[in-house]
mmCIF file of all heavy atoms in Angstrom:
data_model
loop_
_atom_site.group_PDB
_atom_site.id
_atom_site.type_symbol
_atom_site.label_atom_id
_atom_site.label_comp_id
_atom_site.label_asym_id
_atom_site.label_seq_id
_atom_site.Cartn_x
_atom_site.Cartn_y
_atom_site.Cartn_z
ATOM 1 N N TRP A 19 8.499 1.892 -24.747
ATOM 2 C CA TRP A 19 7.688 2.870 -25.469
ATOM 3 C C TRP A 19 8.285 4.252 -25.342
ATOM 4 O O TRP A 19 9.217 4.476 -24.536
ATOM 5 C CB TRP A 19 6.258 2.808 -25.071
ATOM 6 C CG TRP A 19 5.942 3.261 -23.631
ATOM 7 C CD1 TRP A 19 5.496 4.464 -23.263
ATOM 8 C CD2 TRP A 19 6.101 2.502 -22.452
ATOM 9 N NE1 TRP A 19 5.317 4.493 -21.906
ATOM 10 C CE2 TRP A 19 5.735 3.248 -21.377
ATOM 11 C CE3 TRP A 19 6.573 1.208 -22.174
ATOM 12 C CZ2 TRP A 19 5.746 2.898 -20.026
ATOM 13 C CZ3 TRP A 19 6.566 0.747 -20.902
ATOM 14 C CH2 TRP A 19 6.165 1.579 -19.809
ATOM 15 N N LEU A 20 7.759 5.208 -26.052
ATOM 16 C CA LEU A 20 8.268 6.542 -26.109
ATOM 17 C C LEU A 20 7.189 7.510 -25.635
ATOM 18 O O LEU A 20 6.319 7.954 -26.371
ATOM 19 C CB LEU A 20 8.689 6.921 -27.551
ATOM 20 C CG LEU A 20 9.539 8.202 -27.732
ATOM 21 C CD1 LEU A 20 10.909 8.047 -27.161
ATOM 22 C CD2 LEU A 20 9.572 8.625 -29.182
ATOM 23 N N PRO A 21 7.157 7.882 -24.308
ATOM 24 C CA PRO A 21 6.127 8.757 -23.819
ATOM 25 C C PRO A 21 6.336 10.235 -24.291
ATOM 26 O O PRO A 21 5.371 10.996 -24.377
ATOM 27 C CB PRO A 21 6.299 8.659 -22.235
ATOM 28 C CG PRO A 21 7.677 8.221 -22.030
ATOM 29 C CD PRO A 21 8.076 7.392 -23.242
ATOM 30 N N SER A 22 7.572 10.669 -24.548
ATOM 31 C CA SER A 22 7.849 12.044 -25.081
ATOM 32 C C SER A 22 8.959 11.851 -26.117
ATOM 33 O O SER A 22 9.546 10.825 -26.247
ATOM 34 C CB SER A 22 8.251 12.964 -23.910
ATOM 35 O OG SER A 22 9.450 12.558 -23.318
ATOM 36 N N GLU A 23 9.177 12.971 -26.834
ATOM 37 C CA GLU A 23 10.108 12.878 -27.978
ATOM 38 C C GLU A 23 11.514 12.564 -27.517
ATOM 39 O O GLU A 23 12.294 11.974 -28.293
ATOM 40 C CB GLU A 23 10.081 14.218 -28.684
ATOM 41 C CG GLU A 23 8.757 14.508 -29.464
ATOM 42 C CD GLU A 23 8.834 15.752 -30.288
ATOM 43 O OE1 GLU A 23 9.883 16.459 -30.210
ATOM 44 O OE2 GLU A 23 7.864 16.078 -30.954
ATOM 45 N N GLU A 24 11.881 12.880 -26.346
ATOM 46 C CA GLU A 24 13.262 12.704 -25.860
ATOM 47 C C GLU A 24 13.435 11.584 -24.834
ATOM 48 O O GLU A 24 14.534 11.423 -24.318
ATOM 49 C CB GLU A 24 13.804 14.036 -25.294
ATOM 50 C CG GLU A 24 13.825 15.171 -26.274
ATOM 51 C CD GLU A 24 14.742 14.909 -27.491
ATOM 52 O OE1 GLU A 24 15.764 14.271 -27.279
ATOM 53 O OE2 GLU A 24 14.381 15.324 -28.598
ATOM 54 N N GLN A 25 12.432 10.794 -24.532
ATOM 55 C CA GLN A 25 12.458 9.906 -23.462
ATOM 56 C C GLN A 25 11.807 8.577 -23.734
ATOM 57 O O GLN A 25 10.695 8.545 -24.271
ATOM 58 C CB GLN A 25 11.829 10.480 -22.208
ATOM 59 C CG GLN A 25 12.020 9.578 -20.918
ATOM 60 C CD GLN A 25 11.173 10.133 -19.753
ATOM 61 O OE1 GLN A 25 9.997 9.890 -19.672
ATOM 62 N NE2 GLN A 25 11.862 10.848 -18.861
ATOM 63 N N TRP A 26 12.551 7.481 -23.482
ATOM 64 C CA TRP A 26 11.972 6.127 -23.567
ATOM 65 C C TRP A 26 11.623 5.618 -22.146
ATOM 66 O O TRP A 26 12.315 5.995 -21.175
ATOM 67 C CB TRP A 26 12.950 5.135 -24.154
ATOM 68 C CG TRP A 26 13.183 5.302 -25.658
ATOM 69 C CD1 TRP A 26 12.346 4.859 -26.654
ATOM 70 C CD2 TRP A 26 14.255 5.873 -26.304
ATOM 71 N NE1 TRP A 26 12.930 5.166 -27.890
ATOM 72 C CE2 TRP A 26 14.147 5.807 -27.666
ATOM 73 C CE3 TRP A 26 15.419 6.573 -25.812
ATOM 74 C CZ2 TRP A 26 15.006 6.318 -28.556
ATOM 75 C CZ3 TRP A 26 16.378 7.011 -26.695
ATOM 76 C CH2 TRP A 26 16.137 6.953 -28.079
ATOM 77 N N ARG A 27 10.618 4.824 -22.052
ATOM 78 C CA ARG A 27 10.258 4.121 -20.869
ATOM 79 C C ARG A 27 10.431 2.655 -21.074
ATOM 80 O O ARG A 27 10.168 2.127 -22.170
ATOM 81 C CB ARG A 27 8.822 4.339 -20.405
ATOM 82 C CG ARG A 27 8.526 5.793 -19.964
ATOM 83 C CD ARG A 27 9.110 6.109 -18.629
ATOM 84 N NE ARG A 27 8.577 5.232 -17.539
ATOM 85 C CZ ARG A 27 8.948 5.353 -16.273
ATOM 86 N NH1 ARG A 27 9.880 6.288 -15.932
ATOM 87 N NH2 ARG A 27 8.448 4.568 -15.375
ATOM 88 N N VAL A 28 11.012 1.970 -20.098
ATOM 89 C CA VAL A 28 11.303 0.492 -20.225
ATOM 90 C C VAL A 28 10.804 -0.222 -19.011
ATOM 91 O O VAL A 28 10.839 0.338 -17.867
ATOM 92 C CB VAL A 28 12.855 0.264 -20.371
ATOM 93 C CG1 VAL A 28 13.639 0.841 -19.213
ATOM 94 C CG2 VAL A 28 13.168 -1.132 -20.641
ATOM 95 N N ARG A 29 10.420 -1.439 -19.196
ATOM 96 C CA ARG A 29 9.925 -2.303 -18.049
ATOM 97 C C ARG A 29 10.326 -3.687 -18.381
ATOM 98 O O ARG A 29 10.154 -4.226 -19.468
ATOM 99 C CB ARG A 29 8.400 -2.170 -17.894
ATOM 100 C CG ARG A 29 7.882 -2.962 -16.757
ATOM 101 C CD ARG A 29 6.411 -2.668 -16.456
ATOM 102 N NE ARG A 29 5.558 -2.921 -17.583
ATOM 103 C CZ ARG A 29 4.855 -2.064 -18.206
ATOM 104 N NH1 ARG A 29 4.921 -0.782 -17.845
ATOM 105 N NH2 ARG A 29 4.084 -2.374 -19.255
ATOM 106 N N LEU A 30 10.970 -4.410 -17.406
ATOM 107 C CA LEU A 30 11.437 -5.763 -17.559
ATOM 108 C C LEU A 30 11.179 -6.544 -16.251
ATOM 109 O O LEU A 30 11.408 -6.003 -15.168
ATOM 110 C CB LEU A 30 12.930 -5.795 -17.873
ATOM 111 C CG LEU A 30 13.594 -7.151 -17.958
ATOM 112 C CD1 LEU A 30 13.028 -7.970 -19.108
ATOM 113 C CD2 LEU A 30 15.125 -6.996 -18.121
ATOM 114 N N GLU A 31 10.670 -7.773 -16.346
ATOM 115 C CA GLU A 31 10.411 -8.644 -15.169
ATOM 116 C C GLU A 31 10.685 -10.065 -15.605
ATOM 117 O O GLU A 31 10.305 -10.498 -16.689
ATOM 118 C CB GLU A 31 8.994 -8.459 -14.694
ATOM 119 C CG GLU A 31 8.675 -9.382 -13.558
ATOM 120 C CD GLU A 31 7.238 -9.123 -13.001
ATOM 121 O OE1 GLU A 31 6.713 -8.001 -13.210
ATOM 122 O OE2 GLU A 31 6.667 -10.125 -12.471
ATOM 123 N N GLY A 32 11.363 -10.812 -14.747
ATOM 124 C CA GLY A 32 11.625 -12.196 -15.048
ATOM 125 C C GLY A 32 12.197 -12.949 -13.842
ATOM 126 O O GLY A 32 12.412 -12.350 -12.772
ATOM 127 N N GLN A 33 12.467 -14.248 -14.077
ATOM 128 C CA GLN A 33 13.004 -15.074 -12.956
ATOM 129 C C GLN A 33 14.405 -15.450 -13.322
ATOM 130 O O GLN A 33 14.692 -16.004 -14.369
ATOM 131 C CB GLN A 33 12.172 -16.339 -12.794
ATOM 132 C CG GLN A 33 10.867 -16.206 -12.049
ATOM 133 C CD GLN A 33 9.848 -15.357 -12.747
ATOM 134 O OE1 GLN A 33 9.560 -15.582 -13.906
ATOM 135 N NE2 GLN A 33 9.283 -14.317 -12.060
ATOM 136 N N PRO A 34 15.397 -15.143 -12.447
ATOM 137 C CA PRO A 34 16.771 -15.497 -12.656
ATOM 138 C C PRO A 34 16.974 -16.985 -12.583
ATOM 139 O O PRO A 34 16.327 -17.694 -11.794
ATOM 140 C CB PRO A 34 17.562 -14.768 -11.539
ATOM 141 C CG PRO A 34 16.542 -14.602 -10.419
ATOM 142 C CD PRO A 34 15.218 -14.447 -11.097
ATOM 143 N N ALA A 35 17.894 -17.523 -13.406
ATOM 144 C CA ALA A 35 18.198 -18.922 -13.423
ATOM 145 C C ALA A 35 19.660 -19.102 -13.872
ATOM 146 O O ALA A 35 20.343 -18.232 -14.264
ATOM 147 C CB ALA A 35 17.238 -19.633 -14.363
ATOM 148 N N ARG A 36 20.071 -20.399 -13.721
ATOM 149 C CA ARG A 36 21.417 -20.854 -14.193
ATOM 150 C C ARG A 36 21.188 -21.958 -15.233
ATOM 151 O O ARG A 36 20.289 -22.759 -15.071
ATOM 152 C CB ARG A 36 22.302 -21.352 -13.060
ATOM 153 C CG ARG A 36 22.848 -20.250 -12.156
ATOM 154 C CD ARG A 36 23.810 -20.822 -11.178
ATOM 155 N NE ARG A 36 25.014 -21.268 -11.762
ATOM 156 C CZ ARG A 36 26.193 -20.603 -11.707
ATOM 157 N NH1 ARG A 36 26.241 -19.440 -11.086
ATOM 158 N NH2 ARG A 36 27.286 -21.096 -12.270
ATOM 159 N N THR A 37 22.059 -21.968 -16.246
ATOM 160 C CA THR A 37 21.988 -23.012 -17.194
ATOM 161 C C THR A 37 22.735 -24.264 -16.885
ATOM 162 O O THR A 37 22.508 -25.309 -17.518
ATOM 163 C CB THR A 37 22.484 -22.488 -18.571
ATOM 164 O OG1 THR A 37 23.878 -22.035 -18.378
ATOM 165 C CG2 THR A 37 21.700 -21.285 -19.036
ATOM 166 N N ASP A 38 23.650 -24.224 -15.857
ATOM 167 C CA ASP A 38 24.499 -25.343 -15.553
ATOM 168 C C ASP A 38 24.006 -26.103 -14.308
ATOM 169 O O ASP A 38 24.646 -27.079 -13.917
ATOM 170 C CB ASP A 38 25.924 -24.909 -15.335
ATOM 171 C CG ASP A 38 26.040 -23.849 -14.242
ATOM 172 O OD1 ASP A 38 25.025 -23.330 -13.814
ATOM 173 O OD2 ASP A 38 27.230 -23.533 -13.892
ATOM 174 N N MET A 39 22.925 -25.708 -13.702
ATOM 175 C CA MET A 39 22.355 -26.413 -12.585
ATOM 176 C C MET A 39 20.914 -26.017 -12.322
ATOM 177 O O MET A 39 20.407 -25.055 -12.934
ATOM 178 C CB MET A 39 23.184 -26.139 -11.266
ATOM 179 C CG MET A 39 23.072 -24.754 -10.804
ATOM 180 S SD MET A 39 23.868 -24.550 -9.137
ATOM 181 C CE MET A 39 25.418 -25.325 -9.407
ATOM 182 N N ASN A 40 20.240 -26.817 -11.544
ATOM 183 C CA ASN A 40 18.879 -26.580 -11.233
ATOM 184 C C ASN A 40 18.714 -25.567 -10.082
ATOM 185 O O ASN A 40 19.028 -25.884 -8.969
ATOM 186 C CB ASN A 40 18.110 -27.874 -10.911
ATOM 187 C CG ASN A 40 16.639 -27.651 -10.685
ATOM 188 O OD1 ASN A 40 16.071 -26.675 -11.155
ATOM 189 N ND2 ASN A 40 16.044 -28.533 -9.858
ATOM 190 N N VAL A 41 18.222 -24.374 -10.349
ATOM 191 C CA VAL A 41 17.896 -23.405 -9.300
ATOM 192 C C VAL A 41 16.347 -23.307 -9.325
ATOM 193 O O VAL A 41 15.781 -22.685 -10.235
ATOM 194 C CB VAL A 41 18.548 -22.042 -9.618
ATOM 195 C CG1 VAL A 41 18.176 -21.041 -8.530
ATOM 196 C CG2 VAL A 41 20.066 -22.207 -9.696
ATOM 197 N N SER A 42 15.749 -23.923 -8.314
ATOM 198 C CA SER A 42 14.339 -24.099 -8.374
ATOM 199 C C SER A 42 13.563 -22.757 -8.267
ATOM 200 O O SER A 42 12.559 -22.511 -8.913
ATOM 201 C CB SER A 42 13.837 -25.044 -7.323
ATOM 202 O OG SER A 42 14.220 -24.605 -5.993
ATOM 203 N N ASP A 43 13.984 -21.881 -7.389
ATOM 204 C CA ASP A 43 13.262 -20.645 -7.160
ATOM 205 C C ASP A 43 14.239 -19.602 -6.572
ATOM 206 O O ASP A 43 14.666 -19.684 -5.450
ATOM 207 C CB ASP A 43 12.095 -20.832 -6.147
ATOM 208 C CG ASP A 43 11.335 -19.527 -5.839
ATOM 209 O OD1 ASP A 43 11.516 -18.610 -6.683
ATOM 210 O OD2 ASP A 43 10.608 -19.512 -4.879
ATOM 211 N N ALA A 44 14.606 -18.655 -7.427
ATOM 212 C CA ALA A 44 15.551 -17.558 -6.979
ATOM 213 C C ALA A 44 14.849 -16.195 -6.956
ATOM 214 O O ALA A 44 15.525 -15.244 -7.082
ATOM 215 C CB ALA A 44 16.750 -17.568 -7.921
ATOM 216 N N GLY A 45 13.558 -16.189 -6.767
ATOM 217 C CA GLY A 45 12.837 -14.957 -6.642
ATOM 218 C C GLY A 45 12.532 -14.288 -7.996
ATOM 219 O O GLY A 45 12.595 -14.932 -9.043
ATOM 220 N N THR A 46 12.168 -13.025 -7.956
ATOM 221 C CA THR A 46 11.781 -12.301 -9.178
ATOM 222 C C THR A 46 12.616 -11.050 -9.239
ATOM 223 O O THR A 46 12.743 -10.312 -8.282
ATOM 224 C CB THR A 46 10.292 -11.952 -9.096
ATOM 225 O OG1 THR A 46 9.510 -13.110 -8.999
ATOM 226 C CG2 THR A 46 9.840 -11.165 -10.340
ATOM 227 N N MET A 47 13.126 -10.754 -10.447
ATOM 228 C CA MET A 47 13.850 -9.520 -10.785
ATOM 229 C C MET A 47 12.979 -8.596 -11.562
ATOM 230 O O MET A 47 12.307 -9.026 -12.521
ATOM 231 C CB MET A 47 15.150 -9.796 -11.450
ATOM 232 C CG MET A 47 16.212 -10.538 -10.628
ATOM 233 S SD MET A 47 17.792 -10.705 -11.532
ATOM 234 C CE MET A 47 18.793 -11.434 -10.198
ATOM 235 N N ARG A 48 13.058 -7.329 -11.261
ATOM 236 C CA ARG A 48 12.273 -6.269 -12.010
ATOM 237 C C ARG A 48 13.190 -5.080 -12.293
ATOM 238 O O ARG A 48 14.022 -4.715 -11.500
ATOM 239 C CB ARG A 48 11.042 -5.840 -11.236
ATOM 240 C CG ARG A 48 10.004 -6.948 -11.026
ATOM 241 C CD ARG A 48 8.786 -6.409 -10.236
ATOM 242 N NE ARG A 48 7.826 -7.407 -10.051
ATOM 243 C CZ ARG A 48 7.713 -8.263 -9.032
ATOM 244 N NH1 ARG A 48 8.648 -8.182 -8.054
ATOM 245 N NH2 ARG A 48 6.772 -9.102 -8.921
ATOM 246 N N LEU A 49 12.886 -4.435 -13.433
ATOM 247 C CA LEU A 49 13.584 -3.169 -13.833
ATOM 248 C C LEU A 49 12.539 -2.295 -14.493
ATOM 249 O O LEU A 49 11.833 -2.725 -15.383
ATOM 250 C CB LEU A 49 14.696 -3.519 -14.797
ATOM 251 C CG LEU A 49 15.438 -2.281 -15.370
ATOM 252 C CD1 LEU A 49 16.233 -1.561 -14.296
ATOM 253 C CD2 LEU A 49 16.346 -2.688 -16.510
ATOM 254 N N GLU A 50 12.534 -1.049 -14.043
ATOM 255 C CA GLU A 50 11.551 -0.083 -14.678
ATOM 256 C C GLU A 50 12.254 1.303 -14.567
ATOM 257 O O GLU A 50 12.868 1.674 -13.585
ATOM 258 C CB GLU A 50 10.271 -0.106 -13.943
ATOM 259 C CG GLU A 50 9.185 0.750 -14.599
ATOM 260 C CD GLU A 50 7.757 0.516 -14.106
ATOM 261 O OE1 GLU A 50 7.644 -0.390 -13.241
ATOM 262 O OE2 GLU A 50 6.860 1.212 -14.545
ATOM 263 N N GLY A 51 12.015 2.133 -15.599
ATOM 264 C CA GLY A 51 12.509 3.512 -15.579
ATOM 265 C C GLY A 51 12.530 4.111 -16.895
ATOM 266 O O GLY A 51 11.834 3.667 -17.833
ATOM 267 N N SER A 52 13.432 5.148 -17.063
ATOM 268 C CA SER A 52 13.448 5.881 -18.305
ATOM 269 C C SER A 52 14.914 6.062 -18.764
ATOM 270 O O SER A 52 15.837 6.015 -18.028
ATOM 271 C CB SER A 52 12.874 7.245 -18.110
ATOM 272 O OG SER A 52 13.563 8.035 -17.129
ATOM 273 N N LEU A 53 15.030 6.207 -20.136
ATOM 274 C CA LEU A 53 16.299 6.520 -20.747
ATOM 275 C C LEU A 53 16.038 7.701 -21.706
ATOM 276 O O LEU A 53 14.986 7.735 -22.371
ATOM 277 C CB LEU A 53 16.912 5.395 -21.510
ATOM 278 C CG LEU A 53 17.262 4.083 -20.759
ATOM 279 C CD1 LEU A 53 15.978 3.172 -20.771
ATOM 280 C CD2 LEU A 53 18.383 3.366 -21.435
ATOM 281 N N GLU A 54 16.989 8.624 -21.842
ATOM 282 C CA GLU A 54 16.768 9.790 -22.739
ATOM 283 C C GLU A 54 17.831 9.710 -23.877
ATOM 284 O O GLU A 54 18.785 9.015 -23.828
ATOM 285 C CB GLU A 54 16.944 11.075 -21.912
ATOM 286 C CG GLU A 54 15.898 11.215 -20.855
ATOM 287 C CD GLU A 54 16.048 12.531 -20.100
ATOM 288 O OE1 GLU A 54 16.756 13.419 -20.570
ATOM 289 O OE2 GLU A 54 15.370 12.675 -19.048
ATOM 290 N N ARG A 55 17.519 10.444 -24.898
ATOM 291 C CA ARG A 55 18.370 10.516 -26.023
ATOM 292 C C ARG A 55 19.696 11.269 -25.766
ATOM 293 O O ARG A 55 19.745 12.143 -24.881
ATOM 294 C CB ARG A 55 17.693 11.264 -27.227
ATOM 295 C CG ARG A 55 16.440 10.618 -27.738
ATOM 296 C CD ARG A 55 15.870 11.502 -28.861
ATOM 297 N NE ARG A 55 14.569 11.020 -29.334
ATOM 298 C CZ ARG A 55 14.402 10.117 -30.308
ATOM 299 N NH1 ARG A 55 15.454 9.709 -30.978
ATOM 300 N NH2 ARG A 55 13.222 9.771 -30.706
ATOM 301 N N ALA A 56 20.768 10.770 -26.400
ATOM 302 C CA ALA A 56 22.078 11.430 -26.233
ATOM 303 C C ALA A 56 22.937 11.013 -27.408
ATOM 304 O O ALA A 56 22.616 10.012 -28.157
ATOM 305 C CB ALA A 56 22.731 11.013 -24.909
ATOM 306 N N THR A 57 24.008 11.686 -27.648
ATOM 307 C CA THR A 57 24.931 11.423 -28.786
ATOM 308 C C THR A 57 25.734 10.165 -28.604
ATOM 309 O O THR A 57 26.119 9.526 -29.529
ATOM 310 C CB THR A 57 25.828 12.629 -29.040
ATOM 311 O OG1 THR A 57 26.543 12.952 -27.852
ATOM 312 C CG2 THR A 57 24.952 13.861 -29.457
ATOM 313 N N THR A 58 26.115 9.862 -27.348
ATOM 314 C CA THR A 58 26.837 8.678 -26.999
ATOM 315 C C THR A 58 26.153 7.834 -25.930
ATOM 316 O O THR A 58 25.294 8.403 -25.201
ATOM 317 C CB THR A 58 28.261 8.989 -26.501
ATOM 318 O OG1 THR A 58 28.155 9.716 -25.268
ATOM 319 C CG2 THR A 58 29.008 9.837 -27.539
ATOM 320 N N VAL A 59 26.463 6.544 -25.837
ATOM 321 C CA VAL A 59 25.814 5.705 -24.820
ATOM 322 C C VAL A 59 26.153 6.163 -23.442
ATOM 323 O O VAL A 59 25.278 6.159 -22.544
ATOM 324 C CB VAL A 59 26.213 4.186 -25.058
ATOM 325 C CG1 VAL A 59 25.700 3.311 -23.960
ATOM 326 C CG2 VAL A 59 25.731 3.770 -26.427
ATOM 327 N N GLY A 60 27.422 6.543 -23.224
ATOM 328 C CA GLY A 60 27.786 6.994 -21.891
ATOM 329 C C GLY A 60 27.127 8.224 -21.415
ATOM 330 O O GLY A 60 27.009 8.487 -20.226
ATOM 331 N N ALA A 61 26.629 9.047 -22.369
ATOM 332 C CA ALA A 61 25.981 10.300 -21.998
ATOM 333 C C ALA A 61 24.423 10.133 -21.894
ATOM 334 O O ALA A 61 23.783 11.082 -21.508
ATOM 335 C CB ALA A 61 26.242 11.380 -23.053
ATOM 336 N N VAL A 62 23.920 8.938 -22.086
ATOM 337 C CA VAL A 62 22.493 8.686 -21.990
ATOM 338 C C VAL A 62 22.001 8.900 -20.522
ATOM 339 O O VAL A 62 22.456 8.125 -19.634
ATOM 340 C CB VAL A 62 22.103 7.272 -22.491
ATOM 341 C CG1 VAL A 62 20.656 6.977 -22.196
ATOM 342 C CG2 VAL A 62 22.375 7.181 -23.966
#
C-alpha cells in the first residue's frame, strides 16, 4: 500500500520449501518495510 505520496509499505510472510524434496518444517520467513520512489531501481 501507499501510506504517503513517495513511499510504499510492503509486508510478506510465508513458509520456505523445496520443490525437489520434502522439507516438512523449515520455519517462517517474514519481510516488512518501506520503499520510496526513484528514477532507477538501484536508487530506490
Side-chain angles (χ1 to χ4, degrees):
W19 67 99
L20 192 70
S22 63
E23 291 185 358
E24 300 298 324
Q25 184 187 82
W26 287 281
R27 292 287 299 180
V28 61
R29 182 171 60 242
L30 174 65
E31 179 177 333
Q33 281 68 49
R36 286 185 71 102
T37 58
D38 57 351
M39 67 170 50
N40 181 27
V41 179
S42 59
D43 178 17
T46 301
M47 290 185 175
R48 296 182 178 89
L49 174 69
E50 186 168 358
S52 64
L53 301 89
E54 299 182 12
R55 295 180 187 269
T57 55
T58 63
V59 174
V62 171

